[in-house]
Amino acid sequence: MSLQKTPPTRVFVELVPWTDRGRDNNLISGGVTQPGLHHPVSSTQAQTATREVHVSGTSEVSAGPDRAQVAVRVSSTKEVAAEAKKSVCRRLDYITQSLQQQGVQAENITVTKDFRRVENAYHMEGEVCITFTEFGKMQNICNFLVEKLDSSVVISPPQFYHTPGSVENLRRQACLVAVENAWRKAQEVCNLVGQTLGKPLLIKEEETKEWEGQIDDHQSSRLSSSLTVQQKIKSATIHAASKVFLTFEVKGKEKKKKHL
């Protein structure tokens, strides 16, 4: 997770409440009024009025892809249909058995077959689609298949992606981190002016946004076929940002009780 540096916070603390806001602004500092106009604010009113601190908070979090998919394709063209089928099915069986021996679960393996006539011959294609959650294991298995199978077998570059649940969790995390940043700011402000931070009165998420990879990395998207595995993971990384606005109650500094 990466946290964006938070911008300067605008803070407003109303330590002495105003009265008669709709009238002319005749109240001056210290709770003293100009002669013949309004009465000064009483101590009872000052104690019962709610004092507030308003803060904003921002955050930026990121998460790499949690899934990758690799396709292994085999094909054969023979004059006899049975020979084309036998050639492809034999290699498909070897691939699926090797995957299971390497610890890949059956639900993460999908096998498809396509058989057709091409001029005076028979052509069969087979594809094994593998979904990985461990990228290190994925690289080891792909290297193993390249070593064991002949050149007629084509292994596609891995395609990285996010499950829907992981994206939703990232959005939620961005909001929570922004709220925590705002709360810390409010607490530091109250400590600075000798007050105690009270309960939250308002929590509002004002802005959210998300993007994939680096915003200014346009060249990488055009040359995705030439990227390394680590570059592809970085390109598929999702970033989420959130901006929140919070209002807290401000309490006076609590006095320590004297022990008898």
Side-chain angles (χ1 to χ4, degrees):
M1 181 194 308
S2 60
L3 298 180
Q4 187 181 38
K5 186 177 180 181
T6 54
T9 306
R10 296 182 300 122
V11 181
F12 171 73
V13 182
E14 188 181 14
L15 296 179
V16 179
W18 292 80
T19 59
D20 298 331
R21 292 177 183 269
R23 304 182 185 179
D24 296 334
N25 189 14
N26 296 309
L27 185 63
I28 61 176
S29 60
V32 180
T33 59
Q34 294 179 359
L37 292 178
H38 302 300
H39 296 289
V41 179
S42 67
S43 60
T44 304
Q45 288 177 317
Q47 291 175 0
T48 57
T50 301
R51 297 178 301 169
E52 301 173 355
V53 56
H54 301 182
V55 295
S56 64
T58 61
S59 74
E60 179 186 317
V61 296
S62 61
D66 58 350
R67 295 289 187 278
Q69 194 172 75
V70 174
V72 183
R73 302 181 181 90
V74 299
S75 62
S76 178
T77 303
K78 303 287 184 181
E79 293 182 355
V80 180
E83 293 182 359
K85 290 181 180 179
K86 181 179 179 181
S87 175
V88 171
C89 291
R90 175 174 51 84
R91 285 177 289 174
L92 289 178
D93 290 341
Y94 175 80
I95 293 170
T96 55
Q97 289 175 9
S98 298
L99 292 173
Q100 291 175 354
Q101 290 173 359
Q102 295 285 339
V104 180
Q105 300 298 320
E107 59 266 23
N108 293 326
I109 302 173
T110 304
V111 180
T112 57
K113 302 174 183 178
D114 178 57
F115 183 73
R116 62 181 180 271
R117 186 74 179 263
V118 179
E119 296 181 351
N120 296 325
Y122 295 92
H123 181 80
M124 185 169 182
E125 292 182 355
E127 182 180 81
V128 181
C129 244
I130 316 139
T131 301
F132 293 96
T133 57
E134 300 177 33
F135 301 154
K137 178 184 286 188
M138 174 195 69
Q139 289 183 284
N140 292 336
I141 290 177
C142 288
N143 293 340
F144 172 81
L145 293 177
V146 169
E147 180 182 354
K148 296 298 181 181
L149 300 173
D150 57 37
S151 58
S152 65
V153 179
V154 178
I155 302 177
S156 71
Q159 300 296 320
F160 296 95
Y161 63 97
H162 294 259
T163 54
S166 67
V167 177
E168 182 59 34
N169 288 337
L170 189 65
R171 297 190 189 104
R172 188 182 305 113
Q173 187 181 18
C175 179
L176 294 178
V177 174
V179 170
E180 183 179 3
N181 290 341
W183 174 77
R184 291 185 185 278
K185 288 181 183 180
Q187 196 170 45
E188 291 174 2
V189 168
C190 287
N191 290 339
L192 182 65
V193 297
Q195 302 295 303
T196 300
L197 186 67
K199 63 184 179 180
L201 303 176
L202 173 68
I203 301 176
K204 180 182 179 182
E205 188 173 36
E206 295 185 319
E207 182 182 348
T208 61
K209 62 179 179 178
E210 60 187 65
W211 63 96
E212 191 175 60
Q214 299 296 324
I215 297 178
D216 56 350
D217 197 3
H218 302 296
Q219 204 170 24
S220 295
S221 61
R222 293 197 299 266
L223 304 173
S224 58
S225 59
S226 61
L227 297 179
T228 65
V229 171
Q230 290 301 321
Q231 287 173 329
K232 287 183 177 181
I233 292 175
K234 184 178 179 180
S235 179
T237 296
I238 289 182
H239 304 261
S242 176
K243 180 180 179 181
V244 298
F245 178 81
L246 280 76
T247 300
F248 291 92
E249 181 184 2
V250 176
K251 299 180 179 180
K253 204 70 175 179
E254 296 180 356
K255 297 181 179 179
K256 295 182 179 179
K257 295 183 179 178
K258 296 182 180 180
H259 297 284
L260 298 177

